[in-house]
Amino acid sequence: MDDTETLVRRAAEAFNAGKPDEAQRLCEKGLARAPADPVLHHLLAAVLFSRGVIAPAHAHIDVSLAKRPNNAPARLLAARIARSEGQLDAALGHLDAAIATSPQREMFVEKARTLDMAGLRDQARGAWQAILKVVPGHQEATARLGRLAWEDGDPATAASLLAQAVAASAPASVWFDLGVARQDLRDHTGAATAYRKALELKPDHAEAALNLGIALQEGGDVDAAMGAFAQAYRLRPQLFGSIAMALTSASHGRLWLDEDGLRRALAR
């Protein structure tokens, strides 16, 4: 019969091998024998959280922390669980405790994300800037500072930072933000390139298709713009009003007097 230490090791190996069912089974087997074991509670919380089973994960990490309140990895997991529940004050409390115990880069990144999510813009900006000083070129920090610069009405700084962020592999959201910043600078060609990349990475990104159409239209390529608008309409028919407004208000737009005719053109 496996002892608790062996069960923990086997459960961790199963979890790392992408076998959450087996990992959960082993954790529950161990807790049936040792119901207060903090390591098993921590590991089971991690397994459940990875599967989106949030409330039980929260309960298990609480039991673990009651036994080991200064365990930094457990605090980090507790912060992530709390953030997923929207309990941002609790998440920040866990992160501050983790950083005080064992400051690690990952914890500072989590804190910056949580401050961002909480809408604490100045604190979030300071946190991302601190990360960038320690890790020059940190992609997420660069991307978030670019987005914050755009929200502050500084598209030139935003475009510069976001261009740095997409120099390495970047998600569709960062390419989209770059497109928006370039569009504000009236760099319609650059904006279109960024939106196309966002769509390549996330083909169902309806807003990217809509903005691509606007950028192409502003650049004078109305036929290509219609193709992008049609894609946006297929992805999200509720964008019809935005498409119609873009087509009739831009300097290179087309006037559609027949709404049904426009819908047919977009559906083709």
Side-chain angles (χ1 to χ4, degrees), residues 9-55:
R9 177 180 54 77
R10 289 177 58 201
E13 288 174 350
F15 182 55
N16 292 334
K19 301 176 181 177
D21 287 340
E22 183 179 347
Q24 182 171 341
R25 180 184 64 79
L26 290 166
C27 287
E28 290 170 345
K29 181 179 178 181
L31 287 171
R33 301 179 194 170
D37 187 272
V39 179
L40 282 169
H41 278 288
H42 180 174
L43 185 52
L44 182 53
V47 173
L48 292 170
F49 182 55
S50 74
R51 307 181 77 175
V53 186
I54 307 301

Side-chain angles (χ1 to χ4, degrees), residues 145-163 177-187:
L145 287 169
R147 175 72 187 191
L148 288 168
W150 178 79
E151 291 174 358
D152 288 340
D154 186 357
T157 298
S160 175
L161 287 166
L162 290 162
D177 285 348
L178 176 58
V180 171
R182 286 175 171 172
Q183 205 160 4
D184 281 357
L185 294 170
R186 303 195 64 77
D187 176 8

Side-chain angles (χ1 to χ4, degrees), residues 3-259:
D3 58 20
T4 299
E5 184 177 343
T6 302
L7 283 172
V8 168
R9 177 180 54 77
R10 289 177 58 201
E13 288 174 350
F15 182 55
N16 292 334
K19 301 176 181 177
D21 287 340
E22 183 179 347
Q24 182 171 341
R25 180 184 64 79
L26 290 166
C27 287
E28 290 170 345
K29 181 179 178 181
L31 287 171
R33 301 179 194 170
D37 187 272
V39 179
L40 282 169
H41 278 288
H42 180 174
L43 185 52
L44 182 53
V47 173
L48 292 170
F49 182 55
S50 74
R51 307 181 77 175
V53 186
I54 307 301
H58 192 153
H60 282 288
I61 201 62
D62 280 351
V63 174
S64 181
L65 283 171
K67 294 284 186 179
R68 300 189 303 171
N70 294 323
N71 184 271
R75 286 285 181 187
L76 179 59
L77 177 58
R80 288 173 171 159
I81 292 171
R83 182 159 64 92
S84 75
E85 296 174 308
Q87 299 179 11
L88 303 181
D89 287 342
L92 289 169
H94 285 305
L95 288 165
D96 286 340
I99 289 168
T101 300
S102 178
Q104 302 290 329
R105 180 187 306 171
E106 188 176 12
M107 297 169 186
F108 289 101
V109 172
E110 282 293 325
K111 184 171 182 178
R113 289 171 181 158
T114 306
L115 290 167
D116 234 340
M117 189 174 176
L120 300 172
R121 291 170 50 81
D122 291 341
Q123 294 180 53
R125 184 186 291 103
W128 289 122
Q129 287 171 339
I131 291 166
L132 209 55
K133 286 181 182 177
V134 176
V135 190
H138 189 282
Q139 185 185 60
E140 186 176 359
T142 305
R144 288 306 304 155
L145 287 169
R147 175 72 187 191
L148 288 168
W150 178 79
E151 291 174 358
D152 288 340
D154 186 357
T157 298
S160 175
L161 287 166
L162 290 162
Q164 294 175 46
V166 300
S169 179
S173 59
V174 181
W175 282 101
F176 180 81
D177 285 348
L178 176 58
V180 171
R182 286 175 171 172
Q183 205 160 4
D184 281 357
L185 294 170
R186 303 195 64 77
D187 176 8
H188 304 305
T189 300
T193 298
Y195 291 135
R196 284 193 177 104
K197 185 64 177 180
L199 279 164
E200 178 185 325
L201 294 168
K202 193 174 186 297
D204 63 346
H205 199 319
E207 290 85 357
L210 172 65
N211 284 16
L212 173 59
I214 294 170
L216 290 168
Q217 182 175 250
E218 290 293 342
D221 192 345
V222 181
D223 289 336
M226 281 297 294
F229 287 140
Q231 182 179 6
Y233 182 66
R234 286 194 300 271
L235 290 169
R236 189 178 303 164
Q238 297 88 339
L239 289 175
F240 177 80
S242 299
I243 294 167
M245 183 176 295
L247 280 167
T248 57
S249 63
S251 55
H252 297 284
R254 290 176 176 172
L255 182 60
W256 291 85
L257 299 178
D258 181 359
E259 180 179 307

